[in-house]
PDB file of all heavy atoms in Angstrom:
ATOM      1  N   VAL A   5      -0.511  -9.732   6.658  1.00  0.00           N
ATOM      2  CA  VAL A   5      -1.771 -10.334   6.243  1.00  0.00           C
ATOM      3  C   VAL A   5      -1.603 -10.942   4.866  1.00  0.00           C
ATOM      4  O   VAL A   5      -0.677 -10.633   4.148  1.00  0.00           O
ATOM      5  CB  VAL A   5      -2.907  -9.289   6.236  1.00  0.00           C
ATOM      6  CG1 VAL A   5      -3.142  -8.749   7.616  1.00  0.00           C
ATOM      7  CG2 VAL A   5      -2.620  -8.147   5.275  1.00  0.00           C
ATOM      8  N   SER A   6      -2.532 -11.809   4.538  1.00  0.00           N
ATOM      9  CA  SER A   6      -2.433 -12.526   3.278  1.00  0.00           C
ATOM     10  C   SER A   6      -2.367 -11.560   2.116  1.00  0.00           C
ATOM     11  O   SER A   6      -3.231 -10.712   1.964  1.00  0.00           O
ATOM     12  CB  SER A   6      -3.647 -13.449   3.099  1.00  0.00           C
ATOM     13  OG  SER A   6      -3.675 -14.397   4.139  1.00  0.00           O
ATOM     14  N   GLY A   7      -1.342 -11.698   1.290  1.00  0.00           N
ATOM     15  CA  GLY A   7      -1.205 -10.846   0.116  1.00  0.00           C
ATOM     16  C   GLY A   7      -1.736 -11.585  -1.083  1.00  0.00           C
ATOM     17  O   GLY A   7      -1.346 -12.707  -1.341  1.00  0.00           O
ATOM     18  N   VAL A   8      -2.636 -10.951  -1.819  1.00  0.00           N
ATOM     19  CA  VAL A   8      -3.216 -11.582  -2.995  1.00  0.00           C
ATOM     20  C   VAL A   8      -2.835 -10.735  -4.188  1.00  0.00           C
ATOM     21  O   VAL A   8      -3.309  -9.611  -4.315  1.00  0.00           O
ATOM     22  CB  VAL A   8      -4.743 -11.673  -2.880  1.00  0.00           C
ATOM     23  CG1 VAL A   8      -5.320 -12.389  -4.085  1.00  0.00           C
ATOM     24  CG2 VAL A   8      -5.128 -12.386  -1.602  1.00  0.00           C
ATOM     25  N   SER A   9      -1.947 -11.230  -5.037  1.00  0.00           N
ATOM     26  CA  SER A   9      -1.510 -10.422  -6.144  1.00  0.00           C
ATOM     27  C   SER A   9      -0.891 -11.261  -7.230  1.00  0.00           C
ATOM     28  O   SER A   9      -0.111 -12.158  -6.968  1.00  0.00           O
ATOM     29  CB  SER A   9      -0.491  -9.368  -5.673  1.00  0.00           C
ATOM     30  OG  SER A   9       0.547  -9.957  -4.944  1.00  0.00           O
ATOM     31  N   MET A  10      -1.266 -10.965  -8.458  1.00  0.00           N
ATOM     32  CA  MET A  10      -0.696 -11.589  -9.636  1.00  0.00           C
ATOM     33  C   MET A  10      -0.607 -13.102  -9.529  1.00  0.00           C
ATOM     34  O   MET A  10       0.410 -13.720  -9.837  1.00  0.00           O
ATOM     35  CB  MET A  10       0.690 -10.990  -9.929  1.00  0.00           C
ATOM     36  CG  MET A  10       0.613  -9.505 -10.290  1.00  0.00           C
ATOM     37  SD  MET A  10       2.160  -8.830 -10.831  1.00  0.00           S
ATOM     38  CE  MET A  10       1.665  -7.172 -11.264  1.00  0.00           C
ATOM     39  N   GLY A  11      -1.689 -13.704  -9.029  1.00  0.00           N
ATOM     40  CA  GLY A  11      -1.754 -15.151  -9.041  1.00  0.00           C
ATOM     41  C   GLY A  11      -1.185 -15.841  -7.822  1.00  0.00           C
ATOM     42  O   GLY A  11      -1.192 -17.054  -7.751  1.00  0.00           O
ATOM     43  N   TRP A  12      -0.651 -15.082  -6.850  1.00  0.00           N
ATOM     44  CA  TRP A  12      -0.155 -15.750  -5.661  1.00  0.00           C
ATOM     45  C   TRP A  12      -0.903 -15.272  -4.430  1.00  0.00           C
ATOM     46  O   TRP A  12      -1.459 -14.203  -4.397  1.00  0.00           O
ATOM     47  CB  TRP A  12       1.342 -15.542  -5.487  1.00  0.00           C
ATOM     48  CG  TRP A  12       1.746 -14.165  -5.115  1.00  0.00           C
ATOM     49  CD1 TRP A  12       1.628 -13.555  -3.909  1.00  0.00           C
ATOM     50  CD2 TRP A  12       2.359 -13.199  -5.968  1.00  0.00           C
ATOM     51  NE1 TRP A  12       2.124 -12.292  -3.944  1.00  0.00           N
ATOM     52  CE2 TRP A  12       2.579 -12.040  -5.199  1.00  0.00           C
ATOM     53  CE3 TRP A  12       2.746 -13.215  -7.309  1.00  0.00           C
ATOM     54  CZ2 TRP A  12       3.156 -10.904  -5.722  1.00  0.00           C
ATOM     55  CZ3 TRP A  12       3.325 -12.075  -7.824  1.00  0.00           C
ATOM     56  CH2 TRP A  12       3.518 -10.943  -7.039  1.00  0.00           C
ATOM     57  N   SER A  13      -0.893 -16.116  -3.402  1.00  0.00           N
ATOM     58  CA  SER A  13      -1.412 -15.730  -2.098  1.00  0.00           C
ATOM     59  C   SER A  13      -0.370 -16.182  -1.105  1.00  0.00           C
ATOM     60  O   SER A  13      -0.073 -17.358  -1.009  1.00  0.00           O
ATOM     61  CB  SER A  13      -2.754 -16.414  -1.823  1.00  0.00           C
ATOM     62  OG  SER A  13      -3.205 -16.083  -0.524  1.00  0.00           O
ATOM     63  N   SER A  14       0.219 -15.212  -0.369  1.00  0.00           N
ATOM     64  CA  SER A  14       1.336 -15.584   0.493  1.00  0.00           C
ATOM     65  C   SER A  14       1.242 -14.898   1.842  1.00  0.00           C
ATOM     66  O   SER A  14       0.668 -13.829   1.961  1.00  0.00           O
ATOM     67  CB  SER A  14       2.664 -15.219  -0.175  1.00  0.00           C
ATOM     68  OG  SER A  14       2.716 -13.840  -0.433  1.00  0.00           O
ATOM     69  N   PHE A  15       1.814 -15.541   2.839  1.00  0.00           N
ATOM     70  CA  PHE A  15       1.898 -14.980   4.179  1.00  0.00           C
ATOM     71  C   PHE A  15       3.319 -15.097   4.673  1.00  0.00           C
ATOM     72  O   PHE A  15       3.934 -16.130   4.560  1.00  0.00           O
ATOM     73  CB  PHE A  15       0.968 -15.728   5.130  1.00  0.00           C
ATOM     74  CG  PHE A  15       1.369 -15.580   6.574  1.00  0.00           C
ATOM     75  CD1 PHE A  15       1.381 -14.348   7.177  1.00  0.00           C
ATOM     76  CD2 PHE A  15       1.754 -16.683   7.313  1.00  0.00           C
ATOM     77  CE1 PHE A  15       1.759 -14.209   8.503  1.00  0.00           C
ATOM     78  CE2 PHE A  15       2.123 -16.544   8.643  1.00  0.00           C
ATOM     79  CZ  PHE A  15       2.122 -15.312   9.228  1.00  0.00           C
ATOM     80  N   VAL A  16       3.824 -13.989   5.188  1.00  0.00           N
ATOM     81  CA  VAL A  16       5.139 -13.996   5.792  1.00  0.00           C
ATOM     82  C   VAL A  16       4.926 -14.086   7.289  1.00  0.00           C
ATOM     83  O   VAL A  16       4.331 -13.197   7.879  1.00  0.00           O
ATOM     84  CB  VAL A  16       5.913 -12.719   5.438  1.00  0.00           C
ATOM     85  CG1 VAL A  16       7.270 -12.725   6.109  1.00  0.00           C
ATOM     86  CG2 VAL A  16       6.080 -12.629   3.933  1.00  0.00           C
ATOM     87  N   GLY A  17       5.377 -15.179   7.907  1.00  0.00           N
ATOM     88  CA  GLY A  17       5.121 -15.438   9.314  1.00  0.00           C
ATOM     89  C   GLY A  17       5.738 -14.426  10.236  1.00  0.00           C
ATOM     90  O   GLY A  17       6.507 -13.561   9.838  1.00  0.00           O
ATOM     91  N   ALA A  18       5.375 -14.537  11.502  1.00  0.00           N
ATOM     92  CA  ALA A  18       5.834 -13.562  12.486  1.00  0.00           C
ATOM     93  C   ALA A  18       7.345 -13.489  12.557  1.00  0.00           C
ATOM     94  O   ALA A  18       7.914 -12.433  12.796  1.00  0.00           O
ATOM     95  CB  ALA A  18       5.275 -13.930  13.859  1.00  0.00           C
TER      96      ALA A  18
END
Side-chain angles (χ1 to χ4, degrees):
V5 297
S6 299
V8 183
S9 52
M10 296 187 176
W12 70 75
S13 177
S14 59
F15 158 62
V16 178

